[in-house]
Amino acid sequence: MSFFKKLKEKFQTNQSNEEVSDKYKDGLSKTRKTFSEKINDLVARYRKVDEDFFEDLEEVLIAADVGVSTVMDLIDELKMEVKRRNISDTKEVKSVISEKLVDIYYGDSEEESSVGLNMQENELTVILFVGVNGVGKTTTIGKLAHQLKSEGKKVLLTAGDTFRAGAIEQLSEWGKRVEVDVIKHSEGSDPAAVIYDGIQAAKSREADVLLCDTAGRLQNKVNLMNELSKVKRVIEREIPNAPHEVLLVLDATTGQNALSQAKTFSEATDVSGIVLTKLDGTAKGGIVLAIRNELGIPVKLVGLGEKVTDLQTFDPQAFVYGLFADMIDDE
Amino acid sequence: MAFEGLADRLQNTIQKIKGKGKVTEQDVKEMTREVRLALLEADVNFKVVKDFIKRVKERAVGEEVMESLTPGQQVIKIVKEELSSLMGGDESKIAVSDRPPTVIMMVGLQGAGKTTTTGKLANLLRKKYNRKPLLVAADIYRPAAIDQLETLGKQLNMPVYSAGTDISPVEIVNQAMAKAKEEHLDYVLIDTAGRLHIDGDLMDELIQIKNNVSPDEIFLVVDAMTGQDAVNVAESFNDQLDVSGVILTKLDGDTRGGAALSIKAVTDKPIKFAGMGEKLDQLEVFHPERMASRILGMGDVLSLIEKAQENVDEKRAKELEEKMRSASFTFDDFLEQMGQVRKMGPLDELLDMIPGSNKMKGLKNVEIDEKQISHVEAVIQSMTAKERQDPSIINANRKKRIAKGSGRSVSEVNRLLKQFEEMKKMMKQMTNMQQGGKKGKKGKKGKGFNFPFM
Ligand SMILES: Nc1nc2c(ncn2[C@@H]2O[C@H](COP(=O)(O)OP(=O)(O)O)[C@@H](O)[C@H]2O)c(=O)[nH]1
Ligand SMILES: [Mg+2]
């Protein structure tokens, strides 16, 4: 079955998916057209599959920040595939394209549904948030805390950003907003020590989830990355198998540097998933395809705004669709 | 990483094209393709790249290149020039109002670094210009944004105006202005909340503040790691607010920072400062030239080109070529040629650097052995001045002496002499062929011919 058909069916049959897709539509493509209309438009737009078509596709994907080499590879593969299967009908090409795009995200792995968070049953789950400055770590923690709490979990936050001015107050404010406790030390104190205290508090208060904030840092600052490794070691030492998730928060507005971020943060903290934030803007965050492709790290959550409810699980198909939605929407 | 591959490839193409005596359209195409990839990898917006490549192409196949004796270098120069002109010149001035206080408004997306930059700018104003700034906490939306600015104020020991979050930012700014006047503070720095350029309501809020206080500067703060969307963001902020300048943050990271080029291209507003760290004194004047190199990932490449331009004296090169044509080319000239090339470094460019040599088909893709070149040099250096001028006087005895002096065998000396003679013949032939018009194209020039060091 073609990707579009699959997608269409999925949206037609599943109510909650429809909601997700609406969120995505709002966040990713900013259009009021229905999904099937868009597909029709896309098919109608290109009568011939020629150099112009591939050039357009290349531009659309590059404009979405999909990594340059990923795009070049993809276009090459597509051209080969079209030749191999002797396709000239645009409709057919569309399905090859969507297959390939989805392939890029999934790679060799079998799973086709979105990957959820690794939550422990009846045990403390520790989630560590890492990333460069200003990507949305603290905000995501606030949103996730709200989400988990509304699922009935007991959530605790730790203010591991002891560096940036006002960072502790920021997390505390989120704690107040979503009504969960925040473990904190004073500004300038050792982040590993706060995290340690957070773990002890979570244990003694029998919390279900501990969300650990950390200070933003650029990945080329070696000593700051070492500091982060140390924080992770403290968690590992206190709880076997923890942290259960290390979430790298990426700003969708970021370009190719996100790949370098993913690489270096993985080396330092063994990142298990990505949170892609600010998808409510006009940036597409296509670089996560390259990250998934080269490093195998899945996106787990997406940020679609600044409100507590603006956090969604990642839907790869809707995401991939959003990448080339411009090809459909633009005149 | 992907980029290193690209930078290498770019460098290779540049190396290849650099010494060429003739640049074909194919050469230009190859070169611009690599430049395009490098720029895209650096996050320069694809439309900006497209225009850029078009301009380079136009100039590269134009007269200035074709008429140059070193067209390869000329092409590189064009790339560099176009890149630098796109980046603009140094412009780090900050407005001063003749009716204080001078008002500066900081605007931008969420997480760009506005608050930190506000602190840094205030610090700079005091340190460098001896000013007394007032910081204004107009971000009522992000949790603890006010705390953040107040903390920075404390660290800097500078006044901060804040009025909580239950009052509109427009009103906060009005009150802050009154306070600044009252206390004779000569700069007012307004830290606004981060917002999306497509958020109509919040953009209106900025417009209202702007209309109320008529800022002397509106700085758009942009994260240096921004990707393709930088053009949309910059264009939109600029359209709605007519910003006066841009500040690039987080440039101490390892991003190539192509966003800088995109922003400059779509707004034509100067990038004035760059944030180079989290500390409050880490705000630097922005250097467009450096940024251009960084974006293309060719800091080294560019300096190599500059070196080549310094070392290869066009006039001298022309004289040598003239000599070759007239077959009065001597071993001295040959030695000088090799010396010139060596000054520049990598020896595999030697071939290309010898005027006219690239016109000989048979010489393409040959491996050059560095050791061999030293040997050739040693042999020539062991010749007397007379011998170098007129190799025909080199008899068996002289050959033996030269071999001994250079530590090479007699047969090697023989080979060099023979090849040098052939080379001269070749040069003459080639010149004749060229003068004879198109015919030469099909001639067997260069076939079977070997330079002495191959
Ligand atoms: N529009 C939008 N803004 C976001 C999102 N996530 C975070 N932000 C904003 O980005 C800015 C930086 O977020 P913050 O959580 O402080 O980043 P941190 O430095 O990584 O902790 C704040 O102004 C947030 O409100 C999102 O999904 N969409
Ligand atoms: Mg934070």
Side-chain angles (χ1 to χ4, degrees):
Chain A
M1 201 189 332
S2 85
F3 163 71
F4 277 124
K5 259 200 224 141
K6 256 194 278 184
L7 209 53
K8 205 168 161 187
E9 272 179 24
K10 200 169 157 215
F11 288 129
Q12 277 164 355
T13 54
N14 192 319
Q15 188 58 39
S16 78
N17 263 333
E18 189 119 354
E19 277 162 26
V20 173
S21 111
D22 280 346
K23 269 275 183 194
Y24 265 95
K25 268 196 285 186
D26 292 349
L28 299 176
S29 62
K30 306 274 169 222
T31 166
R32 259 172 225 100
K33 274 189 183 171
T34 71
F35 188 70
S36 54
E37 266 178 314
K38 287 181 187 173
I39 294 168
N40 289 339
D41 281 1
L42 176 61
V43 176
R45 172 117 335 137
Y46 296 91
R47 297 225 147 66
K48 271 210 314 259
V49 179
D50 48 14
E51 275 301 314
D52 285 350
F53 173 80
F54 284 118
E55 210 166 279
D56 277 3
L57 187 66
E58 181 185 306
E59 282 186 354
V60 161
L61 291 172
I62 282 178
D65 286 318
V66 178
V68 177
S69 37
T70 308
V71 174
M72 299 303 165
D73 287 354
L74 176 81
I75 301 284
D76 284 349
E77 266 182 55
L78 274 174
K79 283 183 182 169
M80 256 164 49
E81 194 72 11
V82 167
K83 222 175 171 178
R84 197 177 64 80
R85 296 203 213 164
N86 205 3
I87 301 173
S88 55
D89 181 4
T90 345
K91 264 188 210 168
E92 255 182 280
V93 174
K94 293 290 128 43
S95 67
V96 175
I97 292 163
S98 31
E99 271 168 40
K100 279 273 176 254
L101 283 168
V102 175
D103 265 6
I104 290 188
Y105 186 78
Y106 290 111
D108 296 329
S109 77
E110 290 297 301
E111 14 115 20
E112 281 234 351
S113 60
S114 54
V115 198
L117 293 176
N118 172 27
M119 303 298 287
Q120 304 306 109
E121 297 263 338
N122 309 318
E123 255 176 78
L124 176 63
T125 301
V126 182
I127 303 179
L128 180 65
F129 286 80
V130 301
V132 300
N133 317 69
V135 285
K137 290 177 293 301
T138 310
T139 308
T140 303
I141 288 175
K143 295 179 198 170
L144 186 61
H146 170 77
Q147 192 174 305
L148 293 170
K149 189 166 181 266
S150 57
E151 286 168 16
K153 298 208 163 65
K154 182 168 170 147
V155 183
L156 201 62
L157 312 181
T158 326
D161 182 356
T162 57
F163 180 79
R164 206 206 68 198
I168 298 169
E169 289 88 342
Q170 188 184 354
L171 192 72
S172 304
E173 180 62 34
W174 274 107
K176 238 184 266 163
R177 241 185 231 190
V178 303
E179 297 179 318
V180 302
D181 287 343
V182 180
I183 306 301
K184 57 192 172 200
H185 287 186
S186 57
E187 197 179 306
S189 61
D190 177 14
V194 199
I195 302 283
Y196 176 88
D197 276 3
I199 294 171
Q200 303 316 320
K203 279 179 178 170
S204 67
R205 299 183 201 181
E206 295 183 338
D208 298 308
V209 191
L210 177 70
L211 304 180
C212 307
D213 197 9
T214 62
R217 64 204 74 215
L218 296 178
Q219 71 275 17
N220 59 339
K221 312 272 156 126
V222 177
N223 47 354
L224 293 181
M225 294 309 280
N226 288 340
E227 178 192 89
L228 203 57
S229 303
K230 186 179 150 201
V231 165
K232 190 186 170 227
R233 278 199 303 276
V234 167
I235 301 173
E236 282 167 338
R237 207 177 52 216
E238 292 309 306
I239 301 170
N241 300 326
H244 306 92
E245 289 278 5
V246 178
L247 296 181
L248 173 68
V249 183
L250 290 181
D251 183 331
T253 322
T254 309
Q256 306 289 304
N257 192 253
L259 195 56
S260 156
Q261 291 172 24
K263 219 169 214 171
T264 317
F265 274 98
S266 282
E267 279 159 18
T269 60
D270 202 8
V271 171
S272 60
I274 285 168
V275 182
L276 189 61
T277 61
K278 308 186 194 175
L279 273 176
D280 48 328
T282 46
K284 299 274 175 34
I287 194 68
V288 297
L289 284 189
I291 292 173
R292 171 76 185 196
N293 222 11
E294 287 189 28
L295 306 172
I297 308 171
V299 181
K300 300 209 165 175
L301 299 166
V302 295
L304 293 163
E306 296 182 90
K307 297 193 300 294
V308 293
T309 51
D310 290 334
L311 189 71
Q312 300 280 335
T313 47
F314 178 66
D315 181 337
Q317 296 187 330
F319 175 78
V320 166
Y321 170 73
L323 290 183
F324 56 103
D326 281 351
M327 236 171 143
I328 305 163
D329 298 332
D330 284 5
E331 253 327 302
Chain B
M1 272 230 135
F3 189 79
E4 274 143 36
L6 276 173
D8 281 350
R9 288 217 318 269
L10 179 65
Q11 187 148 352
N12 286 339
T13 351
I14 287 174
Q15 293 283 10
K16 224 168 82 191
I17 209 171
K18 199 171 73 186
K20 284 208 166 182
K22 185 174 188 306
V23 175
T24 63
E25 245 175 84
Q26 184 57 33
D27 289 332
V28 172
K29 217 170 143 188
E30 225 174 90
M31 160 94 191
T32 47
R33 205 194 65 200
E34 298 300 328
V35 172
R36 172 175 182 262
L37 288 179
L39 292 174
L40 288 175
E41 269 293 340
D43 290 324
V44 182
N45 182 268
F46 74 96
K47 282 185 199 143
V48 176
V49 174
K50 213 177 200 173
D51 292 347
F52 177 81
I53 295 294
K54 202 174 136 220
R55 271 200 309 281
V56 169
K57 265 189 182 156
E58 271 167 16
R59 281 185 62 188
V61 295
E63 268 175 46
E64 58 179 318
V65 171
M66 294 314 171
E67 280 177 6
S68 162
L69 196 66
T70 49
Q73 289 182 34
Q74 207 61 33
V75 172
I76 312 291
K77 221 175 109 210
I78 290 170
V79 171
K80 201 184 139 196
E81 276 172 14
E82 287 292 328
L83 207 56
S84 301
S85 81
L86 203 55
M87 211 55 264
D90 286 349
E91 256 185 275
S92 63
K93 284 189 195 71
I94 306 175
V96 188
S97 170
D98 37 18
R99 282 190 304 143
T102 306
V103 181
I104 300 179
M105 210 172 144
M106 311 292 280
V107 302
L109 293 180
Q110 294 97 336
K114 286 172 297 303
T115 311
T116 310
T117 307
T118 304
K120 287 176 177 176
L121 201 56
N123 191 31
L124 184 90
L125 280 166
R126 182 173 62 187
K127 224 162 103 185
K128 198 167 160 200
Y129 300 97
N130 212 11
R131 299 289 179 175
K132 286 182 285 178
L134 172 67
L135 308 180
V136 184
D139 179 356
I140 60 166
Y141 307 102
R142 207 206 68 195
I146 297 174
D147 288 293
Q148 186 182 355
L149 195 69
E150 278 177 343
T151 307
L152 294 181
K154 247 176 252 153
Q155 284 171 12
L156 290 166
N157 194 20
M158 258 183 216
V160 175
Y161 187 81
S162 65
T165 56
D166 293 333
I167 160 176
S168 85
V170 179
E171 191 50 38
I172 293 174
V173 172
N174 289 344
Q175 292 176 1
M177 286 296 289
K179 178 179 155 121
K181 278 175 196 153
E182 204 173 285
E183 304 193 358
H184 302 290
L185 298 164
D186 50 14
Y187 269 82
V188 174
L189 305 190
I190 307 166
D191 178 31
T192 67
R195 65 203 73 211
L196 294 172
H197 50 294
I198 48 171
D199 187 327
D201 291 345
L202 284 182
M203 290 306 290
D204 282 347
E205 178 193 287
L206 290 181
I207 293 167
Q208 215 182 320
I209 294 176
K210 179 187 170 180
N211 291 342
N212 276 2
V213 299
S214 312
D216 302 279
E217 297 266 20
I218 301 178
F219 285 134
L220 175 64
V221 181
V222 186
D223 188 324
M225 296 178 278
T226 309
Q228 294 287 318
D229 203 40
V231 290
N232 300 328
V233 174
E235 201 164 31
S236 183
F237 267 97
N238 192 43
D239 282 352
Q240 296 178 72
L241 293 163
D242 189 19
V243 305
S244 60
V246 176
I247 300 181
L248 215 55
T249 61
K250 310 178 201 174
L251 206 54
D252 50 324
D254 60 6
T255 179
R256 293 249 173 242
L261 211 63
S262 308
I263 295 164
K264 184 76 195 2
V266 297
T267 64
D268 201 29
K269 295 292 165 68
I271 300 176
K272 295 197 169 180
F273 299 96
M276 298 298 295
E278 295 188 71
K279 295 203 196 77
L280 291 171
D281 57 358
Q282 291 176 315
L283 185 71
E284 293 181 7
V285 167
F286 179 77
H287 298 287
E289 281 278 334
R290 278 183 221 166
M291 199 65 215
S293 299
R294 175 174 176 156
I295 287 171
L296 210 43
M298 50 190 271
D300 300 341
V301 184
L302 285 179
S303 60
L304 194 72
I305 295 161
E306 271 156 18
K307 219 162 92 196
Q309 282 169 344
E310 276 166 26
N311 290 341
V312 180
D313 179 350
E314 279 228 7
K315 215 172 120 217
R316 186 71 191 121
K318 198 155 198 150
E319 276 172 28
L320 285 170
E321 192 179 2
E322 210 37 65
K323 277 187 159 183
M324 276 182 144
R325 286 190 201 285
S326 62
S328 64
F329 191 71
T330 68
F331 270 118
D332 275 324
D333 299 324
F334 189 46
L335 207 57
E336 189 194 320
Q337 279 273 290
M338 291 206 288
Q340 272 216 356
V341 174
R342 282 212 142 163
K343 263 199 292 191
M344 288 176 41
L347 281 170
D348 50 3
E349 293 160 27
L350 180 59
L351 248 193
D352 282 348
M353 287 305 302
I354 298 176
S357 72
N358 61 306
K359 290 173 189 141
M360 287 182 267
K361 273 254 159 60
L363 294 177
K364 281 228 160 122
N365 306 321
V366 284
E367 291 268 328
I368 297 164
D369 185 347
E370 289 227 11
K371 245 197 242 145
Q372 279 284 42
I373 291 184
S374 320
H375 294 167
V376 168
E377 273 179 349
V379 171
I380 299 175
Q381 271 155 1
S382 296
M383 295 175 186
T384 65
K386 244 188 176 161
E387 286 164 352
R388 290 186 210 177
Q389 289 296 321
D390 181 10
S392 68
I393 63 166
I394 304 180
N395 58 19
N397 264 341
R398 286 180 189 255
K399 283 178 192 167
K400 251 187 238 162
R401 196 206 72 244
I402 294 168
K404 214 170 158 205
S406 62
R408 310 310 310 165
S409 66
V410 173
S411 61
E412 250 179 279
V413 176
N414 269 328
R415 200 164 66 223
L416 176 65
L417 287 171
K418 198 165 156 246
Q419 286 175 327
F420 186 72
E421 269 319 301
E422 271 181 49
M423 186 168 104
K424 275 174 69 174
K425 242 193 276 173
M426 212 65 219
M427 290 297 168
K428 210 172 163 198
Q429 251 184 17
M430 219 176 70
T431 316
N432 292 342
M433 282 190 299
Q434 276 179 345
Q435 281 159 357
K438 291 252 149 98
K439 227 172 35 190
K441 244 192 162 178
K442 281 185 181 159
K444 279 195 246 166
K445 53 182 172 179
K447 187 130 182 278
F449 173 82
N450 274 320
F451 267 102
F453 39 81
M454 292 178 318

